[in-house]
Structures are given as C-alpha cells and as structure tokens.
Amino acid sequence: MKLVFDHIDFTVVGHLQSVLESEGIRTEIRNEGASRAAGELPISEVYPELWVLDNADEARAKSIIREFREASNNTPPGPDWTCPVCKEHVEGVFSECWNCGTPSPDRPEV
Ligand SMILES: [Zn+2]
C-alpha cells in the first residue's frame, strides 16, 4: 500500500477516492473520522489519508491527483446551489450539501 494523498478536509479525500476508483484504482481511506468528527479543525494533526492498495498504481494515482488539483485551482468554484432534498443554500465550493450530504445535482464531473 502507498499513501498518495492527505488533506485536512475529508470531502476532498473522499472525492479523490471516487475519482481514482473510477479509473480502476483500488483505494482505502484511513483516519476517516479525523476531521469530520471535530467539525472545523481536527483535534489532532492526523488528516484523512488516501492510500492505493496496489503499489503499481502509485504513479498513475499521483498523476491523476495532480491533474485534479491543478484543474481545481484553475477553475473557480461553481455557483451556489440549493439542496434538492432539504432546500439548504450551499456554497459553490461544496459538492455536497453540508446539511444532509446530498451531492450537488448539476456538479460537473471532474
Ligand atoms: Zn441537503
């Protein structure tokens, strides 16, 4: 197993996991509760970590992550949106409703 990414925000790690899985790379998240349980800031300095199970996937995983990070940096966040389930107003930087976890209905795939 190889650690390929970690980030203070679990939603970013979770999103990258789904990106890698969609590329056929098997992954595992560790320290999943590190930031989520504490809300704003983790109590410890342990961040959620994204690991690839097969060491052979490490280079490809890292290049996918790098492309994803560059694309996110170059693309301004989408417009604010309204959750279709609970009607909460959600800022465009979030791909999921902060209140109930519903994914944005029209978020473009990265
Ligand atoms: Zn919601």
Side-chain angles (χ1 to χ4, degrees), residues 3-20:
L3 174 64
V4 292
F5 183 70
D6 68 358
H7 194 278
I8 192 171
D9 185 349
F10 173 78
T11 59
V12 175
V13 181
H15 181 73
L16 277 171
Q17 178 184 39
S18 60
V19 171
L20 293 184

Side-chain angles (χ1 to χ4, degrees), residues 50-100:
L50 183 59
W51 293 70
V52 294
L53 302 190
D54 187 341
N55 292 2
D57 286 331
E58 181 188 10
R60 197 155 65 93
K62 283 184 170 172
S63 92
I64 291 168
I65 289 168
R66 188 167 55 241
E67 282 172 22
F68 170 79
R69 304 279 292 169
E70 286 170 0
S72 340
N73 288 341
N74 293 338
T75 310
D80 293 0
W81 51 284
T82 302
C83 177
V85 174
C86 70
K87 309 301 180 194
E88 276 294 342
H89 179 84
V90 185
E91 290 177 37
V93 294
F94 298 111
S95 58
E96 293 180 352
C97 174
W98 58 267
N99 188 46
C100 70

